[in-house]
Amino acid sequence: MFRRMTPPAAAHQTLHPQSMSTDLSHIRNFAIIAHIDHGKSTLADRMIQLCGGLTEREMKEQVLDSMELERERGITIKAQTVRLEYTAKNGESYVLNLIDTPGHVDFSYEVSRSLKACEGSLLLVDASQGVEAQTLANVYLAIDNDHEVVPVLNKIDLPAAEPERIMEQIEEVVGIDATEALPISAKTGEGVTEVLEAIVERLPPPKGEADAPLKALLVDSWYDSYLGVVVLVRIVDGELRSGMKVRMMGTASVHDVTEIGVFSPRKTKLDRLGPGEIGYLIASIKSIADTKVGDTITEEKRRCAEPLAGFQPSVPVVFCGLFPADAAEYEELRESLGRLALNDSSFLFEPEVSPALGFGFRCGFLGLLHLEIVQERLEREFNLDLITTAPSVVYRLYLRSGETVELHNPTDMPDPTKIERIEEPWIKATILVPDDYLGAVLKLCEERRGEQVELTYAGSRAMVVYKLPLNEVVFDFYDRLKSVSRGYASFDYQLEEYREGDLVKLSILVNQEPVDALSLIVHRSQSESRGRALCTKLKELIPRQLFKVAIQAAIGGKVIARETVSAMRKDVTAKCYGGDITRKKKLLEKQKAGKKRMRQVGNVEIPQSAFIAALRMGED
């Protein structure tokens, strides 16, 4: 989440504590919330510029998106915090603690945590696109946290902008007063000063008692290879001072604070932080387990009476296996996952063993984009070569013995005769789509076993609410939705309930040997088509052998689909009629190198790409 912007030795400003201590009425803590790509990070850039947080030379686009992956994809993955000093038109000086949040549904946990540290929110809406599904989800999160919400209409410089229509849409769809919505262009900077004035005038200051025992909320933590664990805190009561001995109330660990400060956005050292302020602390913390997100930090000598409520733990909805391509990298993968889990508390992992892939980890994610981002971060930041198994959701199994078990991995499914019933998770999905594509979207939802709950209109756009099985959504639903709506549909969902379903385990057999990495749990009505599609895909991916290879999809002992890879014989040294033996060796070594990234299953070599074929089946 909130990472340092500079190397440890650089860009340190040590300010006198009194110069930074602020009266509570002059502090404003706020988050910027919006749908994907509505301009949150660009607005944050303009605010940093106007408040003099960075010089013109230091400024760059999306300055708070410091992760390489964020800049490359143009999305915010981790929420970022920055402290700005603003002199209002009334001549008073204010401290603004801004949090730039992600927009994608998979990172809504980042948003909910950020909102806990604030009293108000800027609701950013694109003046040409209007209210989208994630706009709704994020504004409801803000209202649940008792936030004062200030609507802001961005991108008014676009020819397609319709501020008046979008104001009506905000009132109609979101249900908040938009008569005082601020029209701005974050790109050009037009209207951003009015936003800063509105923050000062319309958002409430934080509450807190400076004389009370220290009570601080642990908002986030991340690992720094020079400093150990860096902790981001929001002070509720009391003061946090350098040199203080603090206790983490949830984990009961005690640490000596060696450094405290704020991001402005440079890392800026302070001597103390008072009520209502957001900053970081460093206390030579080595263990990841000591910094639990949502924990309460208090002074060891003078403890607060009771801890803060903290955060609801995130519930992973998608699980998949991560295995090192080279078994020797297992320990390196374990260490990398540990560091990443500290930086992303919504990501969970536990060890697992696969006969096909060896030792690896079963990992839990908040969605497919979250899975993709974690996998890419592991490969980039920790230089790992990974194999990913097909994703699955959590099923509840009610056994005849009266026991209830949660099933994360299809390979762990017990004998069907022992199972009384299986329940699968269902979600409530909200889709906003232009009227022209409504028919295609409804058809897609019906194909995925969806149940329509509601269909309303906001101007020329339809808002469809569907109940859908999560199993049908995690594979390729989002891609298919974008495809059938030409990219105009927006999608948001929340977990609703568990329901009984006619579900079966689809096993893939290669030459009668089960490939556990490709096992899936599917609805019986779709098992044949899913099995046939997977067999066809594997036929393309598995290289021809010196013998026929049978690829079968089976439910229990019943084979429901089959493809056969025909035999071949390839003698790579056939063209060598004489000459030095090194010529033959060179050709044999080249052949050997091509097999390096293969996995042996029985006596058939299966390429790594086959293990993620199940993930991409719906694209064809």
Side-chain angles (χ1 to χ4, degrees):
M1 191 165 164
F2 312 82
R3 293 172 306 285
R4 60 186 172 84
M5 306 292 290
T6 52
H12 265 308
Q13 292 176 301
T14 307
L15 301 181
H16 195 262
Q18 274 69 36
S19 67
M20 296 292 276
S21 63
T22 312
D23 175 19
L24 271 175
S25 64
H26 284 201
I27 298 175
R28 297 291 183 273
N29 298 323
F30 67 97
I32 306 177
I33 55 174
H35 187 75
I36 311 152
D37 204 29
H38 278 201
K40 296 180 294 296
S41 300
T42 310
L43 176 58
D45 287 354
R46 297 293 82 76
M47 288 181 170
I48 291 167
Q49 268 183 313
L50 279 171
C51 296
L54 291 172
T55 63
E56 287 297 323
R57 187 174 60 83
E58 292 170 312
M59 275 305 293
K60 56 184 176 182
E61 282 189 27
Q62 279 81 46
V63 71
L64 294 182
D65 289 347
S66 53
M67 201 190 296
E68 184 190 340
L69 210 53
E70 291 178 315
R71 305 191 70 77
E72 195 176 288
R73 285 175 176 247
I75 59 170
T76 301
I77 294 166
K78 301 293 292 177
Q80 298 274 13
T81 186
V82 62
R83 173 175 172 142
L84 303 170
E85 293 202 23
Y86 173 66
T87 305
K89 287 177 181 174
N90 61 12
E92 301 273 346
S93 187
Y94 290 85
V95 166
L96 310 179
N97 288 309
L98 175 160
I99 300 181
D100 175 27
T101 63
H104 197 280
V105 61
D106 282 17
F107 307 116
S108 56
Y109 188 59
E110 291 282 328
V111 181
S112 65
R113 284 193 332 201
S114 304
L115 296 179
K116 285 269 187 189
C118 305
E119 287 77 36
S121 295
L122 295 183
L123 174 65
L124 206 59
V125 181
D126 188 318
S128 58
Q129 293 179 1
V131 174
E132 302 278 10
Q134 203 59 32
T135 314
L136 279 175
N138 287 341
V139 78
Y140 291 150
L141 275 176
I143 291 165
D144 287 346
N145 282 286
D146 296 326
H147 275 207
E148 184 67 41
V149 179
V150 175
V152 179
L153 300 179
N154 191 21
K155 306 190 185 181
I156 57 159
D157 55 319
L158 294 179
E162 300 175 87
E164 289 78 16
R165 183 178 68 81
I166 303 304
M167 278 186 203
E168 285 174 25
Q169 198 182 73
I170 291 171
E171 293 191 358
E172 197 178 314
V173 180
V174 182
I176 60 171
D177 181 16
T179 49
E180 291 185 32
L182 303 162
I184 69 156
S185 169
K187 191 175 180 182
T188 63
E190 183 189 342
V192 178
T193 307
E194 283 69 28
V195 174
L196 291 167
E197 284 296 315
I199 289 164
V200 168
E201 290 166 16
R202 289 158 65 177
L203 296 186
K207 295 184 176 76
E209 294 176 31
D211 301 332
L214 172 67
K215 186 190 277 188
L217 177 68
L218 198 160
V219 180
D220 197 24
S221 56
W222 62 97
Y223 192 83
D224 185 293
S225 47
Y226 299 95
L227 305 165
V229 179
V230 182
V231 177
L232 189 95
V233 292
R234 155 69 201 266
I235 312 296
V236 178
D237 289 321
E239 282 188 346
L240 177 65
R241 296 182 301 279
S242 192
M244 183 185 269
K245 195 183 277 286
V246 294
R247 168 179 283 266
M248 312 283 180
M249 293 182 82
T251 57
S253 58
V254 178
H255 305 279
D256 289 311
V257 178
T258 55
E259 184 185 319
I260 60 171
V262 294
F263 297 102
S264 61
R266 296 185 201 88
K267 199 158 175 249
T268 306
K269 281 187 187 178
L270 298 180
D271 283 353
R272 63 190 174 95
L273 286 171
E277 295 190 290
I278 298 173
Y280 70 86
L281 75 86
I282 297 166
S284 306
I285 303 169
K286 306 276 190 300
S287 171
I288 289 164
D290 289 350
T291 53
K292 194 175 154 197
V293 169
D295 201 351
T296 303
I297 301 172
T298 189
E299 190 177 359
E300 171 64 0
K301 288 179 185 170
R302 187 170 166 241
R303 299 182 196 175
C304 61
E306 49 187 55
L308 297 157
F311 307 129
Q312 285 290 326
S314 67
V315 181
V317 294
V318 180
F319 284 81
C320 84
L322 289 180
F323 295 84
D326 179 358
E329 290 183 345
Y330 175 75
E331 282 303 322
E332 205 178 321
L333 176 60
R334 183 203 292 275
E335 195 179 316
S336 305
L337 288 169
R339 286 191 181 186
L340 200 64
L342 172 66
N343 191 246
D344 181 355
S345 59
S346 55
F347 162 63
L348 303 174
F349 66 96
E350 58 183 33
E352 79 165 345
V353 183
S354 157
L357 302 169
F359 290 94
F361 294 89
R362 191 82 191 153
C363 304
F365 307 90
L366 298 179
L368 271 192
L369 179 66
H370 190 204
L371 184 160
E372 205 179 309
I373 295 294
V374 166
Q375 186 189 347
E376 208 163 327
R377 283 185 70 189
L378 285 167
E379 287 175 349
R380 284 187 186 202
E381 295 173 25
F382 303 100
N383 201 24
L384 292 166
D385 194 2
L386 299 172
I387 296 170
T388 314
T389 64
S392 69
V393 300
V394 184
Y395 299 93
R396 281 188 193 151
L397 270 54
Y398 293 84
L399 307 180
R400 296 191 189 280
S401 62
E403 196 184 345
T404 305
V405 292
E406 283 197 342
L407 182 71
H408 295 182
N409 191 342
T411 54
D412 298 334
M413 191 164 174
D415 189 321
T417 56
K418 294 180 181 175
I419 302 169
E420 188 181 305
R421 70 180 195 277
I422 305 176
E423 289 186 352
E424 62 179 330
W426 280 63
I427 60 164
K428 187 179 178 184
T430 306
I431 302 166
L432 280 133
V433 62
D435 203 20
D436 298 355
Y437 307 107
L438 179 61
V441 169
L442 295 178
K443 186 182 173 204
L444 174 66
C445 292
E446 293 298 328
E447 281 172 6
R448 300 304 171 98
R449 299 191 280 133
E451 296 173 2
Q452 190 174 314
V453 178
E454 201 181 321
L455 174 57
T456 53
Y457 277 86
S460 63
R461 299 175 77 217
M463 186 168 89
V464 195
V465 180
Y466 255 90
K467 285 193 176 178
L468 288 156
L470 184 60
N471 189 14
E472 301 289 343
V473 173
V474 297
F475 285 94
D476 62 342
F477 182 83
Y478 195 66
D479 293 340
R480 296 279 301 120
L481 180 67
K482 288 290 178 193
S483 175
V484 300
S485 67
R486 305 289 186 273
Y488 286 108
S490 65
F491 171 71
D492 176 63
Y493 69 85
Q494 66 223 41
L495 212 55
E496 184 88 347
E497 60 183 343
Y498 270 79
R499 275 197 217 172
E500 188 177 344
D502 186 10
L503 302 163
V504 291
K505 178 185 170 185
L506 181 69
S507 303
I508 300 297
L509 302 126
V510 176
N511 268 11
Q512 280 76 52
E513 289 282 339
V515 184
D516 63 328
L518 295 177
S519 296
L520 301 169
I521 291 177
V522 294
H523 195 265
R524 195 182 295 276
S525 64
Q526 295 175 343
S527 58
E528 196 173 323
S529 59
R530 187 68 67 85
R532 200 171 297 284
L534 193 47
C535 287
T536 307
K537 194 91 163 185
L538 288 173
K539 185 184 177 183
E540 297 165 15
L541 291 161
I542 293 177
R544 288 166 69 192
Q545 311 289 319
L546 299 177
F547 48 85
K548 282 186 181 179
V549 177
I551 304 164
Q552 297 167 310
I555 297 170
K558 183 187 174 188
V559 175
I560 57 167
R562 175 183 168 127
E563 292 285 347
T564 306
V565 181
S566 54
M568 67 165 284
R569 181 177 186 275
K570 183 167 183 179
D571 183 358
V572 290
T573 61
K575 61 184 176 183
C576 297
Y577 293 105
D580 193 77
I581 187 69
T582 53
R583 287 186 66 208
K584 287 187 178 182
K585 277 188 175 176
K586 188 177 177 183
L587 288 165
L588 291 167
E589 282 299 317
K590 196 173 178 185
Q591 186 184 40
K592 189 178 172 184
K595 295 177 180 180
K596 197 174 179 183
R597 280 170 64 108
M598 301 285 188
R599 276 283 166 273
Q600 287 285 346
V601 178
N603 53 2
V604 179
E605 293 171 340
I606 298 183
Q608 185 176 328
S609 53
F611 290 112
I612 53 170
L615 210 121
R616 302 290 176 214
M617 267 193 327
E619 291 182 5
D620 298 341

